[in-house]
Amino acid sequence: MTHNVFALMRDRVVAALAAIVPDLPPEVAARVEVTPAKDPAHGDMATNAAMVAAKPARMKPNEIAAGLVAALAGEADIAEAAAAGPGFVNLRLTAAAWQSLLPGILRAGEAYGGSDVGGGVRVNVEYVSANPTGPLHIGHCRGAVVGDALANLMTKAGFAVTKEFYINDAGNQITALSWAIYWRYLQAVGTGLSEEEYSNEVPGGLQYRGEYLIPVAEALVAAHGAGLATAEKGIAAPEQWLEIVRETGMAMMLGSIREDLAVLGVHHDVFSSERALAARGATDVTIAQLQDKGLIYEGVLEPPKGKTPDDWEPREQTLFRATQFGDDVDRPLRKSDGSATYFANDIAYHADKIGRGADILIDVLGADHGGYVKRMTSAVKALGGQLDVLLCQIVHVLKDGQPLRMSKRAGTFITLRDLLDEVGPDAVRFTMLTRKSDAQMEFDINQAVAQTRENPVFYVQYAHARCRSVLRAADEMFGAANTSAESLAGVALESLDDAAELAVLQRLASWPRAVEAAALAREPHRIAFFLYDLASDFHMLWNRGREDAALRFLRAEHVAESRAKIALVAATAMVLRSGLAVMGVRPVEEMR
RNA sequence: GCACCCGUAGCUCAAUUGGAUAGAGCACCAGACUACGAAUCUGGGGGUUGGAGGUUCGAGUCCUUCCGGGUGCGCCA
C-alpha cells in the first residue's frame, strides 16, 4: 500500500492513455510523469503523458490531452481536468480527496514517506574515511553529514543500507604519525634533543607537529614509563617502540575521531581497516583476479603533459587497464619497492565490500579526490560491481563576514569539534545540507546560530515547536482522548477547505514522492528544502489565523472543526520530525 | 597542457532530473502585534540563467566551443 498520491494518479493516467493509444510501448509509458503543479493556477498536479505519447502514437499532443481530459474529468475525486500549454493535462483534486489522505498519514506515523523503491537492494555507503592521523576538521564535516543523511534517506526509500568507515591505517603516513607521537613522548620523558635534531633523525622529517598528540604521549608514559627511550632519553631503535607507538596512536586517534562523530550524531555500522585487509592478503588476491581477466600488464606511463614532476623518469610498473573502463590512463598498482599502492588496496577493499553482499557501492569523497573517481569506478566496473561517487566540494567558513582560512600554519585550523562547540550539531547538519553537495558552499557561522528566518534550521525547528505548542494547548482544551493520534485518524475533515490548509495537506501528500526522488538522485539536500517549504506553508497557515478567526486551530466552542485542524497540525509535526530524522537533526518541543 | 566540479536577482542558494511565465531568503521599499509564540507574516521593485552556436514540440538542465572560479594530475593517502 503506497501513500504516494502522485504515483497512484500516474497509474490511472497511464491506464487512460493506454485506452487512447492502443499499442502503447512500455518505454513510452515509463516516461509518463505526474508531478505537483509548479503554479497553483495550473491545478494540483500535471502530467506530460500527451506529449511523450504524441510521437509514437502519431497523434497531436492536444488530441491525446483532450482524450485524457475526457477520461479523467468524470472521476469522483477529480474536480477539474484541463489541457494546457503544449499538451499538459492539469488536474485539480477535490478537497475531499486531499482530506482523505490525512488519516493514512496519521496512522503511518513517522514511517509515512517511506517506500519500497529501493526494493531491498543492498547499498554500502562509505563516508568520512579520514586518515587517523589527527582530529577531524571542517573538510571532513560535509562528507560526514552528507553520507549519513544519504544513508538514512536510502534506508527510508527501501534500500538495505550499511554505513561504513574505511580506516586508512596502512600507509607511510601512519609511520610518520608514529614518529611524531614518539617526539611528544621523548619530550614528556625529558629528552635533551631539540625539535630540529629530532626531525633530522626521522625518515622523511618530522610531520604532524600538533599538540593533539600530547595526550597520546602521556598515555605511553603512563603505560611504559621511560622504557621506550634510551637511558639518556634519546631515540631508541624503532623495533623497540614503533609498533607499540603505532598501536596506541591509532587506537587513540580513531577513538577521538569516533567521539567527534558521535557528537555530530554520526554512527557507522562497520569500520574496515586497510591494514587488516592487506595483512590477510586481500590485495594480492584482487590483483590476481584482475590478472586472470587480462586487465593487468607491465608498462611505462607517459609523463603528464604541462606539469612534469621534477624527478620524473620512465619506469616500468604494474598497471591496471583503467582505460578499458573509461579512465584517461592506466593506473599503477605497485610502488617501485613492490608494495601495493593505495589504489591497489582500495580496489581490494571495494572487492571486499562487494564480497560482503553490497549490490551498489557509494563513496562519499572530498573534492580533492575528484581525480580519483574515474579510476575507482573503472576498477569496480572491472570487478563486475557498481560504484557511485558523491563528491563534496569545499566548504568556506565565514565568521563575522570574514573567511576563516583552513591553514595549519596560520593557526586558523578549524576542527570539527570547534565548529560543533560553537554552532551545535543540529545547525551544523542542517546547514551542511542546504546546498547540493557538488557545489561549493559558504558556511556562515553567524547565520547558522541566528534565531531568524534567514536561518533555515531555526525556521524549520520553529515550525515544529509551534505545532507542538498547539498540540499541548489542544490537550488542555479538549483532553487527550480527543487529540490522540488514533482518535484524530477518525475525525471528520470536511472543514479543512481553506487554500492555506489545503496547501499544507498537499505538501504533506508530496512527502513520499520527495523521499523517493531524493533517494534515487542521491541528493539528501532536497529533504532540507522540502522541510523548509513545509515549514513555510505551516507558518503561512498560522498567520492566516490572525486575520481570520475561523482558521485558528483551537476554538473551544467548535470542537469538530478544531479536531480536524489538530489532525492537520499533528500530521505536520510528524512529517517534520520524520524529515529531520533523515537529516539527523533533533526536533525541539519549544524554542528557547 | 589534460581531466573532473561549479557559474542562476546586489549577496547566499533552489529549480520536481528535458516541461508551462526561472523561484526562496538576505538586503531595499511599503504595510500588519487584543493570539494556540510577531523569533512571524503580507505586498512591491530586482534576470539576455557567464558568452556564442547546436539538438527538439520545449533547454538553467543535453552536445560543441570560448571565458571565469575551484580541485586534481606516475611509485601521497
Side-chain angles (χ1 to χ4, degrees), chain A residues 265 331 481:
Chain A
R331 304 290 179 175

Side-chain angles (χ1 to χ4, degrees), chain A residues 184 210-221 248 252-253:
Chain A
R184 291 297 183 178
E211 296 184 354
Y212 62 87
L213 296 177
I214 291 175
V216 184
E218 287 168 352
L220 287 167
V221 172
T248 305
M252 289 185 69
M253 287 298 106

Side-chain angles (χ1 to χ4, degrees), chain A residues 16-158:
Chain A
L17 183 62
I20 297 167
V21 182
D23 296 313
L24 185 69
E27 63 271 19
V28 172
R31 289 181 56 208
V32 171
E33 291 181 328
V34 172
T35 57
K38 206 184 284 183
D39 184 344
H42 296 149
D44 298 331
M45 45 182 72
T47 179
N48 63 350
M51 286 180 291
V52 299
K55 191 176 278 183
R58 296 187 186 172
M59 294 171 70
K60 289 179 181 171
N62 290 334
E63 287 178 37
I64 302 176
L68 289 173
V69 167
L72 294 167
E75 306 272 325
D77 57 344
I78 296 177
E80 187 185 344
F88 288 101
V89 174
N90 294 326
L91 301 170
R92 188 184 305 282
L93 302 194
T94 62
W98 291 112
Q99 291 154 6
S100 71
L101 300 172
L102 197 45
I105 295 174
L106 288 167
R107 285 197 195 94
E110 287 199 34
Y112 173 65
S115 81
D116 56 2
V117 277
V121 168
R122 290 165 297 184
V123 178
N124 182 297
V125 184
E126 180 206 331
Y127 56 106
V128 187
S129 296
N131 298 336
T133 54
L136 296 176
H137 53 73
I138 295 222
H140 301 114
C141 178
R142 188 175 193 182
V145 172
V146 167
D148 206 51
L150 177 65
N152 295 340
L153 175 60
M154 293 187 77
T155 300
K156 193 169 181 67

Side-chain angles (χ1 to χ4, degrees), chain A residues 478-490:
Chain A
F478 300 109
N482 277 315
T483 58
S484 69
E486 309 87 77
S487 80
L488 290 175

Side-chain angles (χ1 to χ4, degrees), chain A residues 9 19 42 119 133 168 174 187 223 232 236 255 314 335 352 355-356 390 433 487 497 565 572 583-584:
Chain A
M9 183 58 74
H42 296 149
T133 54
N168 299 142
I174 297 301
Q187 285 184 305
E232 299 77 33
K335 304 176 190 175
D352 184 60
R356 279 185 274 131
L390 235 66
L433 289 168
S487 80
D497 59 356
K565 294 181 201 305
T572 302
M583 299 175 69

Side-chain angles (χ1 to χ4, degrees), chain A residues 177 220 257 272-273 312 339 459 507 572:
Chain A
L177 177 76
L220 287 167
I257 286 172
S272 284
S273 157
W312 193 90
S339 66
Y459 192 68
R507 186 78 64 185
T572 302

